[in-house]
Amino acid sequence: MSSPPATAHARTAAASARELLGVGALTNASLTTWLHGLPGVDHVGADARAAGLGTRSIKTTSKAWAIDMAISMIDLTTLEGADTEGKVRSLCAKAMTPDPGDPATPRVAAVCVYNDMVAVAVDALKGSHIHVAAVTTAFPSGRATMAVKLTDTRDALRAGANEIDMVIDRGAFLSGRYLQVFNEIAAIKDACTRDAPDGAPAHLKVILETGELVTYDNVRRASWLAMLAGANFIKTSTGKVSPASTAPVAMIMLEAVRDWRDLTGTQIGVKAAGGIRTTKDAMKYLVMVNEIAGDDWIDPAWFRFGASGLLNDLLLQRQKLASGHYSGADYVTID
Amino acid sequence: MAKFEYAPAPESRAVVNIRPSYGLFIGGEFVESTGDSTFKTISPSSEEVLAEITEAGEADIDLAVRAARRAFDGPWGRLSGAERGKYLFRIARILQERAREFAVLETLDNGKPIKESRDVDIPLAAAHFFYHAGWADKLEHAGLSGGSGQPPRPIGVVGQVIPWNFPLLMLSWKIAPALAAGNTVVLKPSKTTPLTALLFAEVCQQADLPAGVVNIITGTGRTGAHLIRHPGVDKIAFTGSTEVGKDIARSIAGTRKRATLELGGKAANIVFDDAAIDQAVEGIVNGIFFNQGHVCCAGSRLLVQENVADDVIMRLKRRLQTLRLGDPMDKNTDVGAINSAAQLARIREMTSVGEAEGATRWSAPCALPERGFWFAPTIFTGVSQAHRIAQEEIFGPVLSVLTFRTPQEAVAKANNTPYGLSAGIWTEKGSRILWMADQLRAGVVWANTFNRFDPTSPFGGYKESGYGREGGRHGLEGYVTTGATR
Amino acid sequence: MSPTATRRKAAEPNAGADQRIEVLKTYKLYIGGAFPRSESGRTYEIHAAGRSGKFLANAAMGSRKDARDAVVAARGAFGKWASATAYNRGQVLYRVAELMEGRRAQFSAEVAAAEGLTPARADKVVSQSIDRWVWYAGWSDKLAQVLGGVNPVAGPYFNISGPEPTGVVAALAPQRSSLLGLVSVLAPIIVSGNTTVVLTSEHRPLPAVTLAEVLATSDVPAGVINLITGRTAEVAPWLASHQDVNAIDLAGAADADGLSWADLERAAAENLKRVLRPAGNDADAVEPDWSRTPDLTRMKAYLETKTVWHPKGR
């Protein structure tokens, strides 16, 4: 529960934060004032807008285009206690060749695994441009000391992960210890720079675990706090808690990154993870990215889907559009 | 060109079967007019002629009123409330069954996006019948006796004239409570949107509604005027312009006819500095651009707190750029066609006035189709109460933006109008919502939402926005009497 | 053909070669949207027109454990049913009426056999039952308007009172009126969002089970209505004393074998259940005339009134 030691990067993050907030010292009180001063979110209105965007009808050519874009935005994920080298290699093979029947099928953006599987994934994906993302910081609960969380992260980096998906401490957030949450994110971000081999900093996704934050006001505040502390991406969920990603929550996070860029000039990505199973779901998210954040976010560099089963549904739909008839489970591979 | 373009997603027209011409629905069947006056109804998005419609003359109106009287004195009048209710339940269920057909027809005839007909107009119309069906045998519980000790009874034959902006929905707001209370009706749909009313006549036949309970007579403004003046009509229900509403009030003066009037508005949508800003922007957009601004209760004046005005307007303009204007039959269209050439002319005239008055005009950059009647969503900033565009109802997708400094000033500006139909309040502070709601002279106050309708929720205006309410327990009042017999 | 008629025909000489043997229905409990037999494995005989007529069927003899399971199901279903929109509940109830109408012949035959009515009279009872259901369906989205309202308190406060469903309601269905009485007790409980466990008429339970089939094939969510057939005197005390039941309708205590409704009311006092007493005085409790249009009593009995204050200020 103690704050991590202030590293150079963390000091820089704090300095930028002080400047943005216009305060002499970054204290819990000043962070609270700033976060609680953000505009509220009306729950019913937000749900209605997200539902309205969900009625967009994406057909024919735009559907085909959107399916390919969605595939290219997937972080193909396996995060199970029973994961083995065999399982991870199999997943990576799928990531490289989603549909052996159609080599024109795009590849996914990344494979997402626990830190002790990173080396296997790196090896299996050699030569491709598919990234390896590791979940760290005592994922999914985040209930461990900072020392453990840092070690977890460094292990993943040394094994070759080029993306780190960390979790925020929800207990700290919900009890109002915003400065602690800030410092933890800044420290992990710092590790992503200093402890990445070959000097190529890993990019940091910060998982808010919106299902535990519950209110939309909290989702907005956690988003802004994570961005302030240096997140490259803000991510909805671990996928281990229900509800995971929902349309309104993702919408609020897209609003956050849009407004953040207007304010600071920095673009930050959004990852929706957990509970996104069908092509229909994916289309709804892409529509939201399009109409809330805009063109610049329609790119795997700025929007991701954390999913496993989604890929096969996208492939089934892709096959249907190509062939003109409905496909079936026998025609997509298991990973 | 955007990265993510939406391919055309047209709703199919195959579900509707529009006849080349229509007669009048009188006494349970379609009959020819006694005269020979007809007119065409067109699709305002393409100017395509949809059908030839009969203009009912005085003789036709007389036949319709007599048919309604016969039904009232006869089969309908003798039915118990419970049996009446079951007819209304049937109608509600058939509307639900034929929902797609009605939605497509409404979009073709009115020009509104299929998404709106499908998701708003038709479901609400069915819900209205469903709600009122349940009142038919419970009128004694509705608190309508006003202390007279007499149970509520129907008035008799009701003449109803409805506008073109929500054709089927306005029909349901009129017919459902009238029938639930035991009246019979002669309804005249608007000249430019008769088709869903004529299809509704078929629903009445499918429900086996006794002949003469519902009569649909199409026609022009003349037809409506004759209906209203017919001596056999006991009560008038009108939704339309304030000007015509005043005419009606004058014409019934000194008679025993009663009227309820639902007229125009120039509602203030008030946004405070502590509003949930993203939802407030949606509420502004919904308030004036939903249904192309053809809404009597539209939030046509934005009153924004001065300290957040620039930010709100920036976000509003950005939001308007994602509005999709075009073919109403495309499922992704947000803004459809203006209902008629006449209405388009009016909107253009008023926007010229706005510019001449010195307000700053900004329109969403959208390509307007070649054929049809179209107007891009438009905002005027720098508007003040002295401007005509802050006072007169434009009835189109044109928003006038004014500022205020304090809640009192917002109230004063909001109330500074002869109208009083609706108002919107955007703030996260509950006590302010309730204080404002108390102060606003408007029949419907929406807080942190806008343009929400429900059959249980009474709707109607103060001042020159009319009198009487539609929907809810209060809406039944206009259709019953507890006094002396007729 | 009814079970009675089949048996009579089978006993006749020359019956046989051309005769079609009817598939007899099994009458089970209705709990959590499913049709289990009693966990006790017991059944009891149902005879036509109460007790003295021909054998009709073996009904499940519900036990206290069945009742317990039913209460669990009802409690589980309460949250969602209570928070459904009134419009939705009204539509669900109306749909039940649609399905009842479709099955009227079956209901008619069962009511005739159960109550010893002529076919014409039984038909009338079925019509009344369906119309009663429709009457209640139409109340769903009106109760709040009739029973609630804004209160003009002496201060700058918005103050509103509105009805809310009380929770799980146990009901002893009328002993004599096997369908109309049942519907008149059941519909007012659920229309406002309560869920229920109904102990059917002891000797005339078959129409209730057929109603359960209608409920199972309509849009009524599982657990909202649970129906238990069996001995009223055996099961009723367990419902009356159950601490997770919020209210109890004692209509079926009138004319029930071996039951004192005063005892039930005493047991209900343990958690201050809202109690709807049977009509009439004390031991002379009788069933009311179910054919009369009801008032709001049976709906109000299971509604709490919530009053909310909020200041009005700038």
Side-chain angles (χ1 to χ4, degrees):
Chain A
M1 192 149 105
S2 57
S3 269
T7 60
H9 177 85
R11 277 198 294 275
T12 312
S16 314
R18 279 198 303 277
E19 199 182 308
L20 194 67
L21 270 59
V23 294
L26 192 68
T27 61
N28 204 58
S30 57
L31 269 176
T32 303
T33 303
W34 184 70
L35 289 174
H36 288 215
L38 292 170
V41 182
D42 185 85
H43 185 158
V44 172
D47 283 352
R49 173 87 175 115
L53 286 166
T55 66
R56 289 295 190 218
S57 181
I58 307 302
K59 297 277 179 239
T60 62
T61 51
S62 39
K63 186 170 183 179
W65 181 90
I67 287 176
D68 279 7
M69 176 57 70
I71 293 173
S72 74
M73 288 171 160
I74 290 180
D75 284 2
L76 197 58
T77 303
T78 184
L79 296 170
E80 304 304 320
D83 283 343
T84 59
E85 175 165 342
K87 166 68 185 178
V88 173
R89 285 195 181 279
S90 177
L91 190 77
C92 291
K94 173 99 176 173
M96 305 253 274
T97 312
D99 186 351
D102 183 353
T105 308
R107 290 177 157 176
V108 303
V111 160
C112 188
V113 291
Y114 274 109
N115 88 9
D116 62 343
M117 291 290 151
V118 168
V120 172
V122 166
D123 184 59
L125 294 169
K126 223 172 18 224
S128 75
H129 293 292
I130 300 173
H131 287 197
V132 176
V135 296
T136 72
T137 64
F139 176 101
S141 71
R143 295 256 64 84
T145 62
M146 201 53 202
V148 166
K149 293 186 196 182
L150 276 165
T151 304
D152 190 4
T153 304
R154 284 174 189 138
D155 281 357
L157 290 165
R158 281 175 198 137
N162 28 38
E163 301 186 356
I164 296 293
D165 288 22
M166 71 168 283
V167 291
I168 63 166
D169 181 340
R170 281 86 72 195
F173 183 89
L174 291 170
S175 52
R177 287 178 272 128
Y178 299 129
L179 184 60
Q180 179 186 334
V181 176
F182 176 96
N183 286 335
E184 291 188 4
I185 296 171
I188 300 296
K189 177 71 182 290
D190 184 53
C192 286
T193 314
R194 294 153 120 268
D195 296 304
D198 309 329
H203 101 180
L204 176 64
K205 301 197 200 85
V206 176
I207 302 173
L208 309 181
E209 195 67 306
T210 55
E212 287 178 350
L213 299 183
V214 180
T215 69
Y216 294 166
D217 286 341
N218 277 347
V219 171
R220 172 161 288 175
R221 289 172 187 164
S223 300
W224 281 70
L225 184 57
M227 295 188 294
L228 185 72
N232 297 113
F233 255 69
I234 48 176
K235 175 173 166 183
T236 62
S237 331
T238 60
K240 299 299 182 186
V241 155
S242 187
S245 180
T246 65
V249 151
M251 184 182 81
I252 291 162
M253 290 166 67
L254 287 162
E255 287 168 353
V257 300
R258 171 198 71 192
D259 291 345
W260 182 262
R261 189 171 72 165
D262 282 351
L263 184 67
T264 66
T266 303
Q267 184 170 354
I268 290 176
V270 174
K271 176 170 171 179
I276 305 166
R277 290 193 186 88
T278 65
T279 302
K280 223 174 154 98
D281 293 335
M283 297 296 100
K284 289 182 184 182
Y285 279 92
L286 279 180
V287 163
M288 269 196 317
V289 177
N290 190 33
E291 299 198 31
I292 301 291
D295 261 11
D296 292 346
W297 272 266
I298 308 225
D299 188 299
W302 301 108
F303 189 82
R304 297 281 180 84
F305 289 105
S308 42
L310 172 64
L311 178 56
N312 272 351
D313 197 74
L314 286 166
L315 293 172
L316 286 172
Q317 289 298 313
R318 192 170 189 280
Q319 288 170 357
K320 187 216 168 222
L321 282 177
S323 68
H325 51 78
Y326 292 106
S327 189
D330 289 345
Y331 300 91
V332 289
T333 61
I334 45 177
D335 46 59
Chain B
M1 162 131 159
K3 252 191 209 171
F4 188 5
E5 291 287 326
Y6 303 159
E11 178 69 54
S12 163
R13 269 175 83 144
V15 69
V16 297
N17 176 23
I18 306 177
R19 303 188 218 157
S21 68
Y22 289 85
L24 306 168
F25 184 68
I26 297 177
E29 19 177 52
F30 279 95
V31 298
E32 299 277 305
S33 164
T34 58
D36 57 12
S37 182
T38 63
F39 59 96
K40 306 267 199 288
T41 186
I42 63 168
S43 164
S45 64
S46 63
E47 300 177 62
E48 167 203 346
V49 172
L50 294 172
E52 188 180 72
I53 308 296
T54 301
E55 179 179 10
E58 288 192 69
D60 298 315
I61 292 166
D62 192 59
L63 283 173
V65 172
R66 285 178 195 284
R69 175 68 55 193
R70 271 195 306 277
F72 181 74
D73 289 341
W76 194 244
R78 286 194 291 269
L79 272 183
S80 69
E83 301 310 306
R84 273 205 315 273
K86 285 195 277 187
Y87 277 115
L88 291 170
F89 277 120
R90 281 184 182 181
I91 291 173
R93 298 296 264 179
I94 297 172
L95 282 177
Q96 287 174 329
E97 281 169 345
R98 299 180 74 170
R100 184 56 55 92
E101 195 183 342
F102 271 98
V104 169
L105 191 57
E106 194 79 295
T107 282
L108 288 172
D109 205 16
N110 169 284
K112 65 173 70 197
I114 184 67
K115 179 178 71 159
E116 301 300 337
S117 322
R118 179 194 71 201
D119 295 345
V120 178
D121 290 62
I122 302 331
L124 274 177
H128 229 81
F129 275 99
F130 198 90
Y131 172 75
H132 284 93
W135 271 124
D137 54 359
K138 302 173 179 65
L139 293 172
E140 67 271 27
H141 295 285
L144 300 172
S145 301
S148 74
Q150 300 287 323
R153 283 173 297 104
I155 300 174
V157 172
V158 185
Q160 304 179 319
V161 177
I162 58 175
W164 46 262
N165 58 348
F166 294 93
L168 186 73
L169 184 58
M170 293 296 99
L171 177 153
S172 73
W173 280 25
K174 294 287 180 287
I175 292 185
L179 263 49
N183 303 285
T184 56
V185 312
V186 179
L187 180 137
K188 179 206 158 289
S190 168
K191 182 181 76 178
T192 60
T193 55
L195 293 181
T196 46
L198 292 165
L199 188 62
F200 179 78
E202 285 183 29
V203 171
C204 292
Q205 290 175 320
Q206 282 189 336
D208 252 333
L209 193 65
V213 174
V214 167
N215 303 276
I216 308 282
I217 52 155
T218 48
T220 62
R222 255 196 316 262
T223 313
H226 287 141
L227 175 61
I228 278 154
R229 282 164 177 76
H230 194 292
V233 165
D234 300 307
K235 184 228 148 85
I236 292 151
F238 173 79
T239 297
S241 71
T242 292
E243 193 190 322
V244 174
K246 290 180 181 177
D247 249 352
I248 293 172
R250 281 189 283 265
S251 80
I252 64 172
T255 68
R256 10 153 230 96
K257 285 185 186 174
R258 293 163 49 179
T260 46
L261 305 173
E262 206 270 277
L263 310 175
K266 191 73 182 180
N269 211 347
I270 305 166
V271 176
F272 285 92
D273 58 10
D274 68 341
I277 194 71
D278 294 296
Q279 284 72 52
V281 168
E282 280 315 295
I284 297 167
V285 170
N286 196 21
I288 186 58
F289 301 118
F290 160 68
N291 210 42
Q292 298 68 252
H294 304 321
V295 187
C296 44
C297 48
S300 48
R301 285 183 292 155
L302 168 61
L303 264 51
V304 58
Q305 194 159 3
E306 202 167 332
N307 58 352
V308 291
D310 286 345
D311 188 42
V312 169
I313 296 190
M314 180 277 288
R315 288 169 185 271
L316 182 59
K317 288 180 179 174
R318 178 176 61 194
R319 172 66 178 97
L320 292 188
Q321 307 208 34
T322 62
L323 280 182
R324 303 171 65 84
L325 179 150
D327 179 11
M329 285 293 280
D330 189 306
K331 290 183 252 193
N332 291 322
T333 292
D334 301 314
V335 180
I338 303 301
N339 184 252
S340 65
Q343 192 57 34
L344 181 58
R346 161 79 180 161
I347 296 167
R348 284 180 175 155
E349 184 204 329
M350 287 308 294
T351 42
S352 302
V353 164
E355 284 178 305
E357 291 181 306
T360 306
R361 173 183 182 159
W362 181 92
S363 294
C366 21
L368 303 182
E370 283 289 307
R371 306 227 359 115
F373 315 124
W374 305 93
F375 198 84
T378 295
I379 297 173
F380 277 99
T381 49
V383 179
S384 66
Q385 282 295 110
H387 289 156
R388 283 182 62 193
I389 57 170
Q391 293 293 329
E392 294 175 36
E393 189 179 39
I394 300 174
F395 221 67
V398 180
L399 178 68
S400 297
V401 184
L402 301 83
T403 59
F404 68 89
R405 293 159 301 175
T406 65
Q408 287 95 319
E409 189 176 12
V411 165
K413 287 187 174 180
N415 288 341
N416 177 228
T417 164
Y419 292 115
L421 186 50
S422 62
I425 308 168
W426 297 85
T427 170
E428 290 286 85
K429 193 167 187 195
S431 46
R432 182 182 303 146
I433 287 171
L434 296 171
W435 181 87
M436 295 284 294
D438 258 12
Q439 307 294 317
L440 290 166
R441 305 286 298 156
V444 182
V445 177
W446 284 297
N448 291 328
T449 188
F450 208 93
N451 276 342
R452 290 225 73 82
F453 308 100
D454 191 276
T456 64
S457 181
F459 183 92
Y462 286 35
K463 307 192 284 184
E464 293 192 16
S465 290
Y467 39 74
R469 293 292 175 269
E470 294 182 289
R473 198 172 55 79
H474 304 76
L476 296 168
E477 250 178 64
Y479 288 103
V480 299
T481 178
T482 53
T485 44
R486 52 193 155 82
Chain C
M1 213 194 300
S2 75
T4 336
T6 312
R7 270 172 267 278
R8 213 181 296 124
K9 215 165 187 231
E12 286 168 15
N14 300 326
D18 299 330
Q19 182 190 9
R20 182 184 174 273
I21 305 301
E22 202 179 299
V23 177
L24 299 177
K25 185 150 102 172
T26 317
Y27 291 84
K28 296 193 271 183
L29 307 174
Y30 179 60
I31 299 179
F35 290 91
R37 297 180 196 272
S38 169
E39 61 77 41
S40 68
R42 302 170 306 167
T43 59
Y44 67 114
E45 291 187 1
I46 304 301
H47 294 265
R51 271 163 269 214
S52 50
K54 299 288 181 172
F55 171 78
L56 293 178
N58 295 307
M61 192 191 292
S63 68
R64 62 178 172 83
K65 289 187 185 175
D66 296 316
R68 173 203 63 193
D69 292 345
V71 170
V72 169
R75 176 62 62 194
F78 175 69
K80 257 191 114 190
W81 183 242
S83 59
T85 61
Y87 179 38
N88 179 253
R89 282 198 301 272
Q91 291 205 84
V92 169
L93 263 72
Y94 185 76
R95 175 89 180 130
V96 170
E98 286 182 351
L99 295 178
M100 283 179 77
E101 187 83 52
R103 285 206 192 205
R104 56 175 306 133
Q106 183 175 26
F107 276 116
S108 211
E110 287 186 340
V111 168
E115 300 182 23
L117 304 178
T118 62
R121 187 93 191 81
D123 265 352
K124 184 148 191 265
V125 165
V126 171
S127 293
Q128 288 172 322
S129 304
I130 296 170
D131 288 351
R132 179 62 42 82
W133 199 277
V134 172
W135 189 81
Y136 275 113
W139 267 114
S140 172
D141 50 9
K142 298 167 182 68
L143 279 172
Q145 300 180 306
V146 169
L147 299 178
V150 171
N151 304 309
V153 296
Y157 297 93
F158 179 79
N159 180 299
I160 189 164
S161 295
E164 286 190 3
T166 193
V168 173
V169 179
L172 309 185
Q175 298 296 341
R176 291 180 188 281
S177 181
S178 61
L179 184 62
L180 180 55
L182 168 65
V183 157
S184 301
V185 155
L186 172 52
I189 293 173
I190 61 163
V191 66
S192 59
N194 295 297
T195 55
T196 185
V197 175
V198 177
L199 195 50
T200 68
S201 162
E202 182 168 333
H203 299 290
R204 301 172 177 187
L206 304 186
V209 180
T210 300
L211 180 65
E213 293 169 11
V214 165
L215 298 174
T217 53
S218 68
D219 297 316
V220 177
V224 170
I225 302 174
N226 303 277
L227 289 166
I228 300 190
T229 53
R231 304 284 184 209
T232 311
E234 180 192 328
V235 182
W238 291 98
L239 288 172
S241 64
H242 199 304
Q243 302 285 72
D244 201 26
V245 169
N246 303 105
I248 185 161
D249 182 344
L250 297 179
D255 293 324
D257 298 334
L259 195 63
S260 151
W261 66 263
D263 289 342
L264 296 178
E265 186 170 340
R266 212 165 288 122
E270 207 48 46
N271 67 331
L272 290 180
K273 288 182 184 59
R274 284 83 174 103
V275 176
L276 190 57
R277 293 166 166 168
N281 299 321
D282 299 326
D284 303 327
V286 292
E287 277 182 44
D289 176 5
W290 299 108
S291 66
R292 295 168 64 96
T293 303
D295 59 19
L296 304 189
T297 305
R298 303 201 94 89
M299 290 183 288
K300 290 200 286 193
Y302 315 114
L303 289 172
E304 307 296 328
T305 299
K306 173 175 285 169
T307 301
V308 177
W309 296 65
H310 196 303
K312 302 193 252 191
R314 296 185 293 261

